Amino acid sequence: MTSPTYGWTRRALLAALLALVPALAPAPALLAQADSTSSNVKLFTYRDAVLAGSVFVSTILAHNLDVHYAARLQDSSTQANRKLHKLSSFVRTVAAPGALVIGTSMYAVGRIGGNEKLAELGLYGTEALLLGELSGGIIKDVVGRQRPSVRPQNVRSVQLFRGLHDGDDYRSFPSGHTIAAFAAAAAVTSVTSRFSPDTRWVVGPAMFGGAALVGLSRMYDNRHWASDVIAGAGIGTFAGLKVVRFQHAHPGNRIDRIFLSGSLSPNEAGGQSLRWSVLPGSLLGQRTR
């Protein structure tokens, strides 16, 4: 007879695999909108396989410690710490909706101010965030894992598609806030390392360190298990890396032409005005890029 623990382990393995597959695959929408223009940049490398395997194994191992860490972080002395409460609230808000607000704002400011790098950073960060959140949302609905805050607490409570009909209390796996934080961290680090390679040793630790705090805050708030956070970190990281690599592997793709282009046209005063449209700049006139 199969033990409950063994049955859960098999389900956890499947859930973790499902969590990584969407993030490993290029977004269909992105591929559909890509031009035939491409470069010799490989979208997938052996490092991706190593990262996927590491996240997969870490998620399974973390499951064995889910209850332990949940109990430690919900200890009365830990929960009584006001500074930890404030820090948790702050990093949670920065991740969501903060990451989306920051990304779209950077894109808008970059476009209006003519700063290509800032616009690209905001666009790719937002794309990574949306891709990660979409993948994570689907997995949450399919896996249907119970949150640690639900009583009676049951770390093994998983039911396929329960997230669709039983509400947010059963959408624990993976952590959406963690996905958002790591997607933004991976995208920003990848883009800035291309612009200024020397900054990666500063930007990377800062961004991923902040993202890790977001994951810990979700555990501190008793909204996620440790394995939820690790899986979310993996999905977010893949989303960020793949979006940036896809865009650079397909220079001149339609997404870039739509969102990172513009045109100059004569105005009534005899000067030039910047026109910003959802149409490709090549259809409007001279591109600003």
Side-chain angles (χ1 to χ4, degrees):
M1 182 175 179
T2 303
S3 68
T5 301
Y6 178 68
W8 157 250
T9 300
R10 289 191 302 173
R11 291 194 293 270
L13 282 167
L14 175 60
L17 182 60
L18 288 172
L20 294 176
V21 168
L24 278 169
L30 293 179
L31 291 176
Q33 297 188 53
D35 288 346
S36 58
T37 305
S38 62
S39 70
N40 57 1
V41 177
K42 293 183 178 180
L43 188 58
F44 297 98
T45 68
Y46 75 94
R47 293 182 180 179
D48 297 323
V50 172
L51 179 57
S54 299
V55 174
F56 182 87
V57 172
S58 297
T59 300
I60 301 305
L61 293 177
H63 164 64
N64 297 322
L65 299 172
D66 278 342
V67 175
H68 170 74
Y69 283 120
R72 287 287 302 272
L73 290 172
Q74 296 310 305
D75 179 82
S76 57
S77 60
T78 303
Q79 288 294 314
N81 191 317
R82 293 185 178 181
K83 291 183 179 180
L84 288 179
H85 271 288
K86 290 181 179 180
L87 177 61
S88 176
S89 178
F90 173 74
V91 297
R92 180 182 69 247
T93 304
V94 169
L100 182 60
V101 173
I102 294 171
T104 53
S105 297
M106 290 173 64
Y107 169 72
V109 171
R111 285 302 310 273
I112 295 173
N115 189 324
E116 290 184 24
K117 294 180 179 180
L118 185 61
E120 185 174 321
L121 190 63
L123 176 63
Y124 294 170
T126 301
E127 284 184 41
L129 175 64
L130 295 177
L131 175 60
E133 286 290 311
L134 175 62
S135 301
I138 293 174
I139 298 166
K140 281 174 175 285
D141 290 336
V142 173
V143 174
R145 190 183 192 187
Q146 178 179 311
R147 293 187 184 273
S149 56
V150 177
R151 295 294 184 269
Q153 192 178 74
N154 185 358
V155 71
R156 299 187 179 92
S157 180
V158 174
Q159 183 178 323
L160 289 179
F161 301 106
R162 182 168 57 177
L164 284 172
H165 52 77
D166 283 0
D168 191 59
D169 283 343
Y170 299 94
R171 302 180 77 246
S172 185
F173 183 93
S175 168
H177 282 75
T178 307
I179 290 176
F182 275 86
V188 169
T189 301
S190 183
V191 172
T192 53
S193 66
R194 293 174 186 271
F195 292 151
S196 303
D198 293 338
T199 65
R200 71 177 64 187
W201 305 111
V202 177
V203 176
M207 292 298 298
F208 281 102
L213 286 177
V214 172
L216 289 173
S217 76
R218 301 305 286 155
M219 294 169 59
Y220 180 78
D221 292 339
N222 206 28
R223 297 297 291 167
H224 287 287
W225 306 98
S227 51
D228 300 338
V229 169
I230 292 177
I235 295 172
T237 299
F238 270 113
L241 294 178
K242 294 306 127 187
V243 163
V244 175
R245 191 176 298 171
F246 174 86
Q247 298 290 10
H248 286 279
H250 299 79
N253 65 80
R254 188 174 301 174
I255 293 177
D256 276 4
R257 293 207 318 270
I258 290 176
F259 291 101
L260 294 176
S261 63
S263 64
L264 293 173
S265 59
N267 57 32
E268 296 179 357
Q272 297 287 323
S273 298
L274 174 67
R275 294 181 61 194
W276 187 16
S277 171
V278 295
L279 294 174
S282 58
L283 298 181
L284 298 174
Q286 181 182 353
R287 291 186 60 182
T288 59
R289 295 192 71 196

